[in-house]
Amino acid sequence: MKPIVVSAALAGLTLGAAQAQTMPAEITEPVTITWYNYNLASAGNGADATRHLIDLFEAAHPNIHVEGVPVPPQNITTRVQADLVAGQQVDLVQVTFNALGFAAEALGAHALEDIVPAAELAANFEGMVQNGLDLGRIDGRTYALAYTFSTPVLYYNADIFRQVGLDPENPPQTWAQIAEAGRVIRDHSDHIPLASGMFGPSAGDWLMQGVLRSNNGGVINADRTAMTFADPASLEAVQMLRDLAQEGILVNLDVTSQLESMAAGNAAMYLQTSAVQGYLIRGAEGNYDLRATTMPGFGDLRPRPNNSGSGLAIFSQDPARQRAAWELMKFVTSNEGYTIITRDIGYLPLRMAVVESPEYLAGWVSEHPLLQPNLQQLSYLEPWTPMPGPNYVQIATTMMDAIEMAVFGDNDDVAGILTAAQTQTQGLLP
Amino acid sequence: MSLASVAPRHGPNRWSRLNRLVRPYLYILPAIATFVIWIYEPLARAFVLSFQQWNLMPTAPRRWVGLENYENILALPRFWQALENTGLYLLGLLPMAVLLPLAIAIFTQDLSGRTRNLYRALIFVPMIVPPVVAAAVWRWMLDPHNGIVNGAIGALGGDPVRFLSDPHLALWTITFITGWKLMGFSTLVLSAANASIDGSLIEAARLDGASTWEIVRDIRLPLLSPAILLLVLMVILLGAQWSFSYIHVLTEGGPLGSTTNIYYLLWQFGFGSLSVGWSSASAVILFVGFSLIAALLFWLKAKLSFHDD
Amino acid sequence: MSFVSIRNLQKSYDGTAVLHGLDLGIREGEFTVVVGPSGCGKSTLMRMIAGLESVTDGEIRIGETVVNDLEPAHRGCAMVFQNYALYPHMTVAENIGYPLRLARVPRAERDRRVREVAEILGLESYLARRPKQLSGGQRQRVAMGRAIIREPKVFLFDEPLSNLDAKMRVQMRTELRRLHRRLSVTSILVTHDQVEAMTMGDRLVVMNGGRIEQVGTPAEVYARPASVFVAGFLGSPSMNLFAARTADRGAVALNGTQTADIPFDAALPAGATLTLGIRPEDVSLAPQGQHAHAGIVDLVENLGGHRVVHVRMGDVMVTAIVNQLAALREGQPVSLAFPADRLHAFSAKTGARLSI
Amino acid sequence: MTDTALQAPARPVAFRLRFGTGWQRPLGHGLMILLSLLSVFPIYWMILTSLRPENEILSTRIWPDAATLDNYAYALSAIPMLRMLVNTFVVSAVVTAIQILTGILAGYGFSRWRFRGASLLMGAVALTWLVPLQVVMIPNYLLVARLGMIDTLGALILPHTASAFAILLLVQAMRSFPSEVYEAARMDGANHAHILWHIVVPNLRGTIASLAILVFISTWNEYFWPLLLTRSAQNSVVQIGLQMFITAEGTQWGPLMAASTLASLPILAIYLVLQRQVIASFMKSGLR
């Protein structure tokens, strides 16, 4: 409870700050806030842990009642938008990062800087990983705090590695090494050499962004005014993926099948978010030796992993509810909150203290080596860039359709496919 | 104005005439009101919105963009692929949802009551399974590594078949599942139609020297043609919607867009995100497109089955 | 030698017997009418001959062949159904020509024969129409055309006239007879209408309850009905039937109270019960006192050429036919006579005819 | 009285025409058995999988060996399954009743009278079939919100108070109803309401029964509209519950199959009990 006490005290100190009149320092009257949450929309650990968090929070804040609204992740923006239009009360929302731009620009998510007293905000940000904080920022303003987020890691089946004569202690670190290992696996076993979560509508473009960026490419430029996925560096990365596919190393299965193949021990390597770790561990238990390493890079270039998952954004208009939502946000992104999220759901903590301090998860982390590559990547993590404007979904979908076609299609003209799609998506930018 | 002066003299008469005039409308009012409120009013609004760019938020700007939404949709690279796939779905669905049930209906008609009912009851079972469940179970059974179907293929010495991830197969797999679900319904409709054929026509044909096959060809099929046409019509108009759940759960339109039909594509680009312009234009395209097809089909149906009624 | 011969024919559904062993011979070229009330099994008999119902036991022979297990089409029978069973999706020409099409008769030949048949039936101008566009009589002709064109060995008619209006029925009756005379094909017609039966058949087969009651020409059957059932079924108005008891010296007591000296020489003991019958046209009616039996006129039906008079005699009703001239009022007392040579007697127990 | 008046005269059952000869008949039966298996096997597999312990979930053995109810226990504890089943049942039953009611009224209106605009309105009814569900969903949601009915079962029912399918079917059935019976009833002094409820409806029992079954099934299986409306699991329907076991972080096959079995069982049970009537009513219903 310590951080909350500290921040509450700090909030008290900064009462006179500019935004203080818009948000009361504490909640005196009972208030109910809604929390649009996608973990609640599935049965299992995520929902249980979320309910646990809500219970703890309500116990600590008797005046605040939290109403969880379960919405599946792919529907969350639609639903928030519909509810805002319908005049429903929307307070705290678990926004997937791809929709962050839309949430901020169109739906009216508040930048924390606008509603939270500056000192209180600064105090709360203390101890948070800087790269992690950047995930929820657009143009330097914080619209969301990374909540359930994770990084891409390369899972591998050490048993298969041993079986085909590869060294499980030295997993591939670059795409060239992946290709090399993939060929060995392809030639000496029936297993899928490389599965991934790069393609498929529910995958979105997040993992692809990281892969292209690792070759110093990208899908869109820094100020989000021009599409760049057909530029030479990106093109080269896509061409590399095509070569892997042509060699029969990278397969084109739907996202779920790839996950299940890995879980069942039928895939040797699997590039995917660390969020699926729990599911893989359950599949591997008593079945095979599951391990993980960091995301592969291109040659000597340092890999530039990005994040998947969601951040929390505040939509409340009423000051008291803004305060209540902010309190909830602070609580779930506190050391206690992240402890539960990391341990029970399997996402990453935004606070290193959680994994370093024995008070929290230090001991637990040492028992869970799979978390290591994840933690390692936290220091050089880069944000998943949301596509801008009202057509953000269409841009990403068109782009990913083209890249999938370029990697797995019958047409060898990778540059042609990508350039055409780039021109097309360029027209959809605001 | 003359009502007051006329009412005393012609009152009852006038009322009963008014009553008679209004009565039919009163009977259909509940249904029509439902459709106007819940379907046609939104549709009309969608028509207007399809020429605008807006996200419904009262605070957001609302911009007239003319035909831009339509142009964007028609320019989608997947549009023509999806159109072609829609045709392929229909091509695959018609045998499963019409031909096979037709054969079953005709075959079972001549069986003893008990066997006939058993077969028909079993074939109807998929109809009652929720689509989400049907999709999940089939995905489970067709899994390349852990599915029972590939287990069987493996046991027979074959290589695992990637039913849902092979671009050449996925569409047919979805078609199969859609058809599997529909088969029972079509069988019942056709069986009902078949059972209502006047038995003496069949007897007359037997006396005239027709073999079983000739009876089917010359008597049953022509007399079943209205029911067959109705089913064909339903498959063409609604097939794309019926496959939707399975595409959504099983392949999300992939791999390489090979299972994307027009309905799913427009959903993905229009309704998947709440961009009102795209979704409204999509809706208008779907509605107008399918209405035109429906008009064409009804015209054809009237022309073809003129002698049956 | 019978052309269609039926031996011990039985039919049962799920163990319930419908036909109890029929024996019947039909001569070649003959027009046979099977008549009986509904449910008597006459349609089943016909459908068994056609091959539409299986044979439970017994034998059906057409010509030299036992046809029990032959397909309907191979029996050489053509049938006209009660509802005509015209194919609604085919034109008149296609309907008539369908048997030939199935027999793979070349088109030109087929057309020629369809026209021929249409000419016989007066259907030339309707060949392109569909059944829905025809009147009842026309449909009936099309159905016959479809039967004729096959040049069958046996024609089967299943209540062919029952869907027609009264006038058309009379007209079709004579048309059917004429057609039969022209084609001379063995024909079997099933009907429940006794007028139809009497007027059309060379021979009648009267059925009741799954059994044949009597076979004979209409005149024979009318004159000497073999059973109470036949006596009551044929003739309109139907035969008067009285419960009676034999008295001394061969006299018969009618109805217990009224007695009449009717000479009766059957070897029946005095006091035995029997049924006496007399047709209405054989009852003589005279003003009061002239005859042996007294009665009171209850109802007079005027049929133009003659009248049907219902007379109450004690507690039985007697129907009599009298000529137009007799002046009768309702409520008027009359006397009746039953000429002895016009009486029919039947066993009270079995209903079988007793010779007088 | 009309019940018997409408029945066709009973005719003796013709002995069955044999389908094909010799080898064709066993072949036909073989195909039918194959198709029946194809229809039923996935349901069997679902039930089988739901009974497998977690570590054997991937098994492809055809018979259950170590059956366990763990998956059911988990499914029932993870989501308010029973509550959802009750909700689904209530919604399906009410929707079925209302759709049939509005269908009967509209069917009578359309089939009994000729009136101005009838064919236009009929066309409008039929065309609702072609309106994509998704386009009306958001406006409908906003309307439900304006009515203050979010998170109620009523919101699941309200937009479904009429269906084109029911109306078209009932219009057709009522049109083939002999007009003499209407006229006889009119002569007997019955008014329209009486004719409809006491003469037409009892005679259309078969049609109404098979229609009710189809409407019930399709409402039971509805997914997208409840998905948009769901605010709390307690006020949601079972299809939403099923989806809760399918997530981007992996599908929980055992519990999903258990929940699916629970979701399908009521309707399967209803079907098995009523199976003979279902099929018979289809046969009689003029669904043709």
Side-chain angles (χ1 to χ4, degrees):
Chain A
M1 288 296 110
K2 207 194 295 176
I4 286 174
V5 177
V6 170
S7 59
L10 280 170
L13 286 175
T14 54
L15 247 178
Q19 279 85 13
Q21 70 266 36
T22 61
M23 187 195 256
E26 53 188 316
I27 302 291
T28 49
E29 297 291 312
V31 60
T32 295
I33 54 169
T34 56
W35 186 12
Y36 286 67
N37 184 298
Y38 63 70
N39 296 113
L40 287 176
S42 59
N45 297 344
D48 293 342
T50 307
R51 278 192 286 269
H52 182 51
L53 280 170
I54 292 176
D55 289 344
L56 287 176
F57 175 76
E58 285 183 338
H61 299 80
N63 273 336
I64 304 176
H65 173 64
V66 179
E67 186 198 325
V69 180
V71 188
Q74 63 274 21
N75 298 65
I76 207 146
T77 20
T78 312
R79 180 61 179 280
V80 166
Q81 186 179 346
D83 274 358
L84 286 170
V85 175
Q88 297 287 300
Q89 180 189 331
V90 181
D91 295 311
L92 193 63
V93 178
Q94 184 181 15
V95 183
T96 48
F97 284 111
N98 67 326
L100 186 61
F102 187 65
E105 291 150 13
L107 301 184
H110 297 294
L112 292 178
E113 287 81 358
D114 291 345
I115 55 170
V116 181
E120 189 182 344
L121 196 62
N124 193 60
F125 284 174
E126 215 161 285
M128 283 193 169
V129 179
Q130 195 55 39
N131 285 334
L133 272 176
D134 284 343
L135 303 183
R137 284 185 174 144
I138 296 175
D139 301 331
R141 286 147 58 79
T142 314
Y143 288 93
L145 270 192
Y147 172 60
T148 53
F149 83 105
S150 44
T151 67
V153 293
L154 184 71
Y155 298 99
Y156 61 101
N157 183 326
D159 288 350
I160 298 179
F161 268 52
R162 276 190 285 269
Q163 181 198 325
V164 299
L166 293 169
D167 179 9
E169 306 306 325
N170 285 306
Q173 296 299 312
T174 66
W175 284 100
Q177 289 168 4
I178 284 187
E180 219 171 285
R183 274 177 220 116
V184 176
I185 295 158
R186 180 196 63 195
D187 294 344
H188 294 96
S189 77
D190 288 336
H191 298 293
I192 297 170
L194 175 64
S196 86
M198 282 185 278
F199 299 99
S202 63
D205 63 337
W206 82 274
L207 190 46
M208 190 56 67
Q209 282 196 12
V211 172
L212 300 190
R213 214 182 277 162
S214 296
N215 199 30
N216 287 342
V219 301
I220 193 166
N221 66 353
D223 55 4
R224 302 197 298 156
T225 55
M227 302 305 292
T228 60
F229 60 90
D231 292 359
S234 304
L235 192 65
E236 194 184 61
V238 173
Q239 183 65 54
M240 183 280 297
L241 291 174
R242 180 174 181 81
D243 293 344
L244 285 182
Q246 294 288 308
E247 280 200 71
I249 293 168
L250 178 65
V251 296
N252 190 24
L253 299 175
D254 60 290
V255 171
T256 323
S257 296
Q258 313 227 25
L259 174 64
E260 279 163 9
S261 298
M262 187 68 202
N266 293 318
M269 295 179 280
Y270 182 36
L271 181 65
Q272 177 62 309
T273 166
S274 56
V276 300
Q277 187 176 296
Y279 187 78
L280 292 182
I281 291 173
R282 275 201 300 284
E285 227 161 33
N287 184 2
Y288 66 93
D289 181 3
L290 174 71
R291 298 197 196 176
T293 182
T294 51
M295 182 181 176
F298 284 80
D300 298 335
L301 298 174
R302 197 199 66 193
R304 293 166 61 185
N306 59 347
N307 61 302
S308 74
S310 66
L312 294 179
I314 295 178
F315 284 77
S316 314
Q317 298 299 327
D318 173 68
R321 290 213 309 270
Q322 282 177 353
R323 164 56 73 182
W326 168 239
E327 290 299 336
L328 177 59
M329 193 197 254
K330 271 196 303 188
F331 174 73
V332 296
T333 58
S334 67
N335 284 336
E336 278 83 1
Y338 274 129
T339 298
I340 291 171
I341 291 165
T342 306
R343 191 187 54 213
D344 296 346
I345 316 186
Y347 290 101
L348 284 181
L350 203 52
R351 297 178 185 278
M352 288 314 283
V354 172
V355 289
E356 284 159 0
S357 158
E359 187 186 344
Y360 302 108
L361 288 181
W364 184 83
V365 166
S366 62
E367 289 163 24
H368 292 79
L370 282 181
L371 213 58
Q372 280 309 326
N374 247 312
L375 295 172
Q376 213 175 314
Q377 290 181 141
L378 267 186
S379 58
Y380 51 92
L381 186 66
E382 294 182 18
W384 174 10
T385 314
M387 298 297 121
N391 296 326
Y392 72 106
V393 170
Q394 290 83 357
I395 295 170
T397 309
T398 306
M399 172 178 80
M400 286 307 298
D401 277 352
I403 296 179
E404 188 191 0
M405 199 52 95
V407 172
F408 294 107
D410 296 329
N411 187 349
D412 273 324
D413 184 14
V414 174
I417 296 170
L418 293 187
T419 311
Q422 178 155 319
T423 315
Q424 175 130 28
T425 47
Q426 187 68 42
L428 297 177
L429 288 176
Chain B
M1 40 126 205
S2 61
L3 193 79
S5 58
V6 171
R9 259 195 306 158
H10 301 290
N13 208 342
R14 184 171 263 241
W15 273 119
S16 81
R17 206 167 39 181
L18 186 70
N19 184 16
R20 203 170 308 162
L21 213 64
V22 165
R23 195 156 47 203
Y25 299 98
L26 286 180
Y27 273 85
I28 61 170
L29 182 69
I32 296 294
T34 302
F35 293 142
V36 167
I37 294 170
W38 298 100
I39 292 178
Y40 280 112
E41 195 268 349
L43 189 66
R45 225 180 321 164
F47 183 73
V48 176
L49 288 171
S50 71
F51 302 103
Q52 299 179 338
Q53 190 177 72
W54 186 39
N55 61 17
L56 290 179
M57 299 285 289
T59 52
R62 191 169 177 166
R63 208 153 53 79
W64 286 91
V65 295
L67 291 172
E68 195 186 300
N69 290 320
Y70 291 94
E71 284 162 9
N72 280 337
I73 289 173
L74 294 181
L76 284 175
R78 288 246 193 269
F79 188 84
W80 302 106
Q81 186 191 8
L83 216 55
E84 190 190 320
N85 286 346
T86 311
L88 293 180
Y89 273 115
L90 297 184
L91 220 62
L93 263 185
L94 286 175
M96 290 258 333
V98 181
L99 282 188
L100 194 58
L102 186 63
I104 298 172
I106 289 175
F107 176 73
T108 52
Q109 178 67 41
D110 299 326
L111 298 177
S112 73
R114 189 167 302 209
T115 333
R116 181 178 52 198
N117 281 348
L118 181 70
Y119 283 145
R120 286 179 183 169
L122 291 178
I123 283 172
F124 190 73
V125 163
M127 173 88 193
I128 62 177
V129 180
V132 179
V133 176
V137 174
W138 274 107
R139 162 197 194 85
W140 186 220
M141 291 179 35
L142 294 176
D143 187 276
H145 297 285
N146 309 312
I148 179 144
V149 176
N150 271 307
I153 293 175
L156 296 173
D159 288 329
V161 180
R162 290 158 42 190
F163 290 102
L164 287 165
S165 51
D166 183 331
H168 302 293
L169 273 183
L171 182 136
W172 302 114
T173 309
I174 303 245
T175 306
F176 168 79
I177 297 171
T178 314
W180 172 79
K181 194 90 165 53
L182 270 179
M183 203 165 59
F185 174 72
S186 306
T187 302
L188 274 187
V189 170
L190 290 171
S191 298
N194 198 19
S196 70
I197 292 178
D198 181 356
S200 63
L201 291 182
I202 308 297
E203 293 175 349
R206 290 183 72 198
L207 279 163
D208 285 347
S211 68
T212 310
W213 293 113
E214 284 165 336
I215 290 176
V216 169
R217 186 193 64 198
D218 297 336
I219 315 292
R220 288 202 189 274
L221 285 184
L223 294 178
L224 284 175
S225 62
I228 297 173
L229 274 171
L230 176 79
L231 278 179
V232 168
L233 225 116
M234 283 176 72
V235 167
I236 292 179
L237 293 178
L238 303 175
Q241 288 188 42
W242 288 333
S243 345
F244 180 83
S245 291
Y246 309 105
I247 301 173
H248 186 56
V249 177
L250 293 174
T251 62
E252 299 183 299
L256 296 174
S258 64
T259 57
T260 303
N261 70 13
I262 192 74
Y263 196 76
Y264 189 79
L265 178 89
L266 296 184
W267 180 82
Q268 214 180 3
F269 279 87
F271 312 110
S273 73
L274 235 189
S275 37
V276 174
W278 286 80
S279 61
S280 301
S282 296
V284 172
I285 290 176
L286 282 173
F287 183 70
V288 171
F290 277 108
S291 298
L292 287 178
I293 295 173
L296 182 76
L297 289 174
F298 275 104
W299 179 74
L300 270 178
K301 183 176 189 259
K303 230 174 135 64
L304 285 176
S305 56
F306 137 85
H307 52 265
D308 286 320
D309 207 52
Chain C
M1 177 65 202
S2 304
F3 185 68
V4 177
S5 74
I6 286 163
R7 281 206 356 243
N8 189 31
L9 189 66
Q10 298 180 29
K11 175 75 190 177
S12 47
Y13 297 107
D14 303 326
T16 312
V18 182
L19 295 184
H20 307 271
L22 306 184
D23 291 292
L24 180 65
I26 291 167
R27 288 188 281 270
E28 183 154 18
E30 197 176 46
F31 200 118
T32 304
V33 174
V34 181
V35 66
S38 57
C40 70
K42 57 188 189 301
S43 278
T44 309
L45 168 64
M46 163 160 289
R47 293 167 57 80
M48 285 167 86
I49 297 172
L52 297 170
E53 301 278 350
S54 62
V55 173
T56 306
D57 200 7
E59 185 186 276
I60 302 173
R61 198 185 277 269
I62 298 178
E64 295 301 304
T65 330
V66 176
V67 298
N68 281 22
D69 296 318
L70 274 187
E71 279 293 307
H74 301 148
R75 298 187 178 199
C77 301
M79 184 158 163
V80 174
F81 289 80
Q82 182 173 7
N83 64 355
Y84 318 134
L86 299 182
Y87 310 124
H89 54 295
M90 298 185 191
T91 61
V92 168
E94 284 166 346
N95 261 289
I96 296 177
Y98 186 60
L100 300 184
R101 199 179 119 204
L102 291 170
R104 312 254 184 309
V105 173
R107 173 156 226 121
E109 160 85 359
R110 208 157 77 201
D111 289 348
R112 189 182 59 73
R113 282 174 61 188
V114 168
R115 266 197 311 279
E116 236 174 67
V117 168
E119 217 168 294
I120 297 175
L121 297 163
L123 287 169
E124 301 98 314
S125 46
Y126 304 106
L127 284 176
R129 296 210 189 162
R130 290 182 202 284
K132 282 247 163 87
Q133 300 160 295
L134 299 179
S135 72
Q138 290 164 338
R139 287 185 207 177
Q140 155 64 246
R141 283 195 198 109
V142 177
M144 277 174 4
R146 197 174 59 187
I148 292 170
I149 203 161
R150 294 180 51 206
E151 299 175 351
K153 288 184 279 183
V154 181
F155 268 129
L156 303 172
F157 298 94
D158 185 4
E159 308 243 9
L161 306 178
S162 62
N163 280 0
L164 298 174
D165 61 44
K167 190 153 170 265
M168 183 58 78
R169 198 176 308 168
V170 175
Q171 188 190 329
M172 287 309 294
R173 222 151 67 190
T174 50
E175 247 180 69
L176 259 180
R177 280 301 296 178
R178 259 187 225 118
L179 193 72
H180 177 251
R181 208 168 53 202
R182 178 169 174 177
L183 302 171
S184 317
V185 176
T186 314
S187 301
I188 305 173
L189 184 145
V190 156
T191 183
H192 64 271
D193 183 321
Q194 46 107 5
V195 178
E196 231 169 273
M198 294 296 290
T199 52
M200 295 180 76
D202 292 331
R203 277 208 301 161
L204 298 189
V205 177
V206 187
M207 286 186 68
N208 185 35
R211 293 192 168 78
I212 293 178
E213 296 270 343
Q214 189 173 11
V215 180
T217 63
E220 279 167 11
V221 175
Y222 190 79
R224 292 181 60 80
S227 66
V228 175
F229 172 78
V230 178
F233 188 74
L234 290 179
S236 172
S238 51
M239 186 185 277
N240 294 298
L241 292 167
F242 311 108
R245 181 187 300 274
T246 49
D248 293 341
R249 294 181 308 280
V252 175
L254 252 185
N255 191 28
T257 52
Q258 297 260 0
T259 57
D261 283 333
I262 297 167
F264 189 76
D265 55 22
L268 280 170
T273 55
L274 72 160
T275 306
L276 275 185
I278 184 159
R279 295 212 178 268
E281 63 265 36
D282 294 332
V283 176
S284 12
L285 201 63
Q288 199 174 6
Q290 215 170 322
H291 288 311
H293 304 284
I296 290 170
V297 176
D298 189 59
L299 190 73
V300 180
E301 292 171 295
N302 193 341
L303 295 178
H306 58 272
R307 295 186 206 185
V308 178
V309 184
H310 300 268
V311 180
R312 182 181 298 282
M313 194 176 80
D315 52 359
V316 296
M317 293 293 285
V318 179
T319 313
I321 292 179
V322 298
N323 68 41
Q324 192 60 39
L325 297 170
L328 287 167
R329 284 175 291 102
E330 283 164 12
Q332 180 186 343
V334 288
S335 68
L336 302 117
F338 306 126
D341 59 335
R342 296 293 183 181
L343 283 173
H344 307 261
F346 306 96
S347 156
K349 209 184 288 166
T350 64
R353 183 178 186 86
L354 304 169
S355 53
I356 293 181
Chain D
M1 57 128 193
T2 48
D3 222 348
T4 49
L6 289 175
Q7 269 162 17
R11 52 182 301 124
V13 184
F15 78 96
R16 303 278 166 206
L17 205 159
R18 283 191 197 84
F19 197 85
T21 48
W23 54 274
Q24 286 168 332
R25 209 171 151 76
L27 184 78
H29 277 285
L31 279 174
M32 285 309 302
I33 290 168
L34 205 71
L35 283 170
S36 306
L37 273 180
L38 188 69
S39 301
V40 180
F41 187 79
I43 286 83
Y44 170 71
W45 195 244
M46 164 181 86
I47 297 171
L48 196 64
T49 307
S50 73
L51 294 171
R52 292 210 157 111
E54 197 180 349
N55 57 358
E56 278 183 29
I57 215 80
L58 300 179
S59 162
T60 48
R61 279 185 305 271
I62 301 276
W63 304 110
D65 7 49
T68 163
L69 291 176
D70 288 356
N71 290 318
Y72 288 88
Y74 178 83
L76 287 171
S77 68
I79 58 173
M81 191 79 198
L82 294 178
R83 180 70 194 266
M84 286 174 157
L85 282 172
V86 172
N87 289 345
T88 317
F89 188 88
V90 169
V91 169
S92 304
V94 174
V95 165
T96 305
I98 297 182
Q99 275 192 16
I100 292 210
L101 182 71
T102 57
I104 286 172
L105 288 175
Y108 191 76
F110 277 122
S111 64
R112 195 74 188 89
W113 297 288
R114 291 162 178 276
F115 51 91
R116 198 177 288 272
S119 54
L120 191 78
L121 287 169
M122 194 69 183
V125 168
L127 279 180
T128 59
W129 237 350
L130 300 180
V131 177
L133 174 72
Q134 281 81 2
V135 72
V136 300
M137 257 169 44
I138 297 296
N140 289 356
Y141 183 71
L142 300 181
L143 183 53
V144 164
R146 265 212 300 279
L147 297 172
M149 292 180 70
I150 281 187
D151 206 30
T152 61
L153 293 186
L156 291 172
I157 294 167
L158 215 49
H160 297 304
T161 47
S163 96
F165 182 66
I167 294 171
L168 296 181
L169 196 69
L170 287 165
V171 167
Q172 197 205 26
M174 289 186 194
R175 279 206 179 133
S176 59
F177 195 75
S179 57
E180 294 85 359
V181 181
Y182 285 124
E183 284 151 12
R186 288 305 297 279
M187 296 302 290
D188 290 343
N191 60 22
H192 285 290
H194 187 92
I195 293 177
L196 182 53
W197 295 116
H198 296 277
I199 291 161
V200 179
V201 169
N203 276 300
L204 293 181
R205 271 183 310 224
T207 307
I208 291 172
S210 47
L211 183 61
I213 286 153
L214 290 177
V215 172
F216 191 90
I217 291 176
S218 74
T219 315
W220 183 278
N221 289 342
E222 209 195 347
Y223 170 63
F224 284 100
W225 176 238
L227 176 68
L228 187 63
L229 280 175
T230 297
R231 243 182 131 73
S232 58
Q234 278 76 19
N235 288 330
S236 189
V237 291
V238 75
Q239 303 300 328
I240 303 300
L242 296 183
Q243 204 70 25
M244 290 184 157
F245 296 101
I246 307 173
T247 71
E249 282 95 44
T251 300
Q252 308 175 46
W253 284 111
L256 173 64
M257 292 300 145
S260 298
T261 306
L262 289 176
S264 319
L265 268 189
I267 216 165
L268 195 69
I270 293 175
Y271 174 65
L272 284 182
V273 172
L274 295 179
Q275 178 254 109
R276 194 169 302 207
Q277 286 90 323
V278 172
I279 291 181
S281 64
F282 260 94
M283 294 298 157
K284 274 189 256 161
S285 71
L287 257 182
R288 50 182 185 241

